[in-house]
Amino acid sequence: MDEVIQITKDIKAGNYKPIYFFMGEEPYYIDKLTDFIDDNVLSEDEKGFNQMTIYGRDTTIEEVISHAKRYPMMADRQVVIVKEAQELSRNIDKLEAYAENPQPTTILVFAYKYKTLDKRKKVTKLLDKVGVVYESKKLYENQVGDWIKRVLSGQGYSIEPKAAAILVEFLGTDLSKISNELDKLKIILPKGHTFTPKDIEENIGFSKDYNNFELRKAIGEKNQVKAYQIIDYFAQNPKDNPLVVTTGLVFGFFSQLLQYHGLKDKSQFNAAKVLKVNPYFIKDYEIAFKNYPMKKVSAIVAALRDIDVKSKGVGASSISQHDLLKELLIHIFN
């Protein structure tokens, strides 16, 4: 994120590079940086003759280079943006000649999604030498909550850890989806507001009381009544609560609890680091640690593997989702 901020600062200051190559598994920042250049380098009057957007599936490297070598009309520079540039991956080495002598009045931008260039290759080294090569890496699930917090902080908002966890649970690690949902909240709620689970439920549609996060919490506390209420809700809303996701998250919780049992240093900071979770949630593991001895946790992990196989239809094609969820809780609580 710091690298993204620096790139945008340089562009705002007019410190342009002749080539920007944005690549990686996470498309969010690739799109953000590409759009930033699209919006901020040329004036609206200059864009008509001097800015073009082309798509990798509709062009060739030779055509891209041909466009890049043109001179701007009635402007100091032109901008050529290549979206879906990963479609040109087979012939990307042909950029070498242009990268050795880029047109100084052209800003050439590649949005190269879901792939990366081999950093050992000559073309990558040349692009990095004369321009900017930025790799947008996919965040791990345990990193997304902090990302949400940082993004909102920079925009004048904050969020409760539980609310961030609910967003991650339902939207996964797709930063674009999460950003879109946060934008909805920012339209409705004033700057300075702290987003809560209630805000998420009322404005986005995820239940703050009946979700996998609350199920995991109820299981950790051995709150059987709450756990069975949640799986009844899941059974009534199977499309919004896929069994495979539920078993996966519960399995992950008990796998981490097994790790927690083995820790010599169970301090909040160290446990959060080892388990790769927000320190806010360590208290859930502390409670579960008291309720589930290591031997019981091992047995639950083994039972969950069996439930997971059944949830995928192996040897249990006639068992309903509700019955499998009940079987899961019976293994855990008994």
Side-chain angles (χ1 to χ4, degrees):
M1 194 170 177
D2 291 341
E3 194 175 351
V4 172
I5 292 170
Q6 187 58 53
I7 293 169
T8 56
K9 277 184 179 179
D10 288 342
I11 291 168
K12 278 183 180 178
N15 298 324
Y16 305 121
K17 297 290 186 180
I19 304 174
Y20 291 88
F21 203 98
F22 305 135
M23 63 182 186
E25 292 296 321
E26 176 50 66
Y28 177 79
Y29 282 117
I30 295 174
D31 288 335
K32 284 289 183 185
L33 287 168
T34 303
D35 290 344
F36 187 82
I37 291 174
D38 191 339
D39 294 336
N40 290 279
V41 173
L42 299 181
S43 68
E44 289 303 318
D45 291 337
E46 292 173 325
K47 285 181 182 179
F49 291 109
N50 297 292
Q51 184 157 308
M52 68 163 52
T53 298
I54 51 183
Y55 291 82
R57 65 178 177 272
D58 300 324
T59 191
T60 64
I61 290 292
E62 289 84 358
E63 289 175 347
V64 170
I65 293 171
S66 177
H67 290 306
K69 285 184 174 179
R70 290 188 320 159
Y71 288 97
M73 294 180 62
M74 297 176 289
D76 293 332
R77 61 187 57 83
Q78 67 159 345
V79 175
V80 178
I81 297 172
V82 187
K83 293 190 174 182
E84 308 298 338
Q86 68 275 8
E87 299 289 341
L88 300 170
S89 60
R90 289 184 180 180
N91 298 305
I92 205 72
D93 288 346
K94 292 182 178 180
L95 265 178
E96 285 179 14
Y98 180 78
E100 286 176 337
N101 187 29
Q103 175 67 272
T105 54
T106 294
I107 296 173
L108 177 58
V109 183
F110 291 88
Y112 194 88
K113 296 180 182 179
Y114 313 112
K115 292 184 177 182
T116 58
L117 296 181
D118 186 336
K119 293 178 181 178
R120 298 167 297 179
K121 296 184 76 169
K122 181 181 178 182
V123 65
T124 313
K125 291 176 181 178
L126 283 169
L127 290 170
D128 192 43
K129 182 180 179 181
V130 302
V132 171
V133 175
Y134 167 70
E135 181 180 352
S136 183
K137 296 179 180 179
K138 199 85 171 173
L139 295 184
Y140 294 111
E141 188 172 311
N142 64 292
Q143 297 174 312
V144 179
D146 286 337
W147 177 85
I148 293 171
K149 183 180 176 181
R150 288 199 309 274
V151 168
L152 287 176
S153 177
Q155 297 167 345
Y157 293 87
S158 56
I159 188 168
E160 292 182 4
K162 183 177 175 181
I166 291 172
L167 283 173
V168 176
E169 179 195 330
F170 282 93
L171 299 173
T173 59
D174 189 322
L175 302 188
S176 296
K177 283 184 181 178
I178 293 171
S179 179
N180 288 338
E181 297 302 334
L182 292 175
D183 286 343
K184 293 177 187 176
L185 291 175
K186 286 183 284 184
I187 291 170
I188 299 164
L189 300 166
K191 269 197 174 183
H193 184 81
T194 298
F195 297 146
T196 66
K198 187 178 179 183
D199 294 328
I200 304 297
E201 180 177 42
E202 291 180 349
N203 299 295
I204 299 178
F206 307 140
S207 172
K208 67 181 176 64
D209 296 316
Y210 297 98
N211 56 64
N212 285 311
F213 175 78
E214 289 298 326
L215 175 63
R216 194 173 64 179
K217 188 170 185 288
I219 289 171
E221 294 172 352
K222 273 201 166 179
N223 186 339
Q224 296 190 39
V225 173
K226 178 67 172 178
Y228 278 102
Q229 286 175 341
I230 292 171
I231 68 162
D232 285 343
Y233 177 85
F234 285 2
Q236 294 166 23
N237 302 273
K239 289 185 179 178
D240 296 329
N241 303 279
L243 179 59
V244 174
V245 175
T246 300
T247 54
L249 288 170
V250 176
F251 178 83
F253 175 70
F254 278 102
S255 296
Q256 289 172 317
L257 184 57
L258 202 58
Q259 281 184 285
Y260 185 81
H261 266 284
L263 290 178
K264 290 183 179 179
D265 178 4
K266 289 184 172 63
S267 64
Q268 186 184 45
F269 176 78
N270 185 64
K273 183 180 178 183
V274 174
L275 301 184
K276 297 180 179 178
V277 299
N278 189 305
Y280 173 85
F281 298 111
I282 290 301
K283 63 180 182 294
D284 295 336
Y285 294 89
E286 292 172 350
I287 293 169
F289 171 75
K290 295 173 184 176
N291 287 327
Y292 299 95
M294 182 179 278
K295 187 175 180 181
K296 176 62 176 175
V297 176
S298 298
I300 290 171
V301 168
L304 280 165
R305 285 198 177 99
D306 182 54
I307 296 288
D308 181 57
V309 169
K310 289 181 180 178
S311 74
K312 294 166 182 170
V314 180
S317 57
S318 61
I319 302 178
S320 70
Q321 174 169 323
H322 193 204
D323 287 339
L324 281 172
L325 285 169
K326 284 197 286 188
E327 184 180 339
L328 180 150
L329 294 186
I330 288 169
H331 278 295
I332 290 171
F333 292 134
N334 297 319

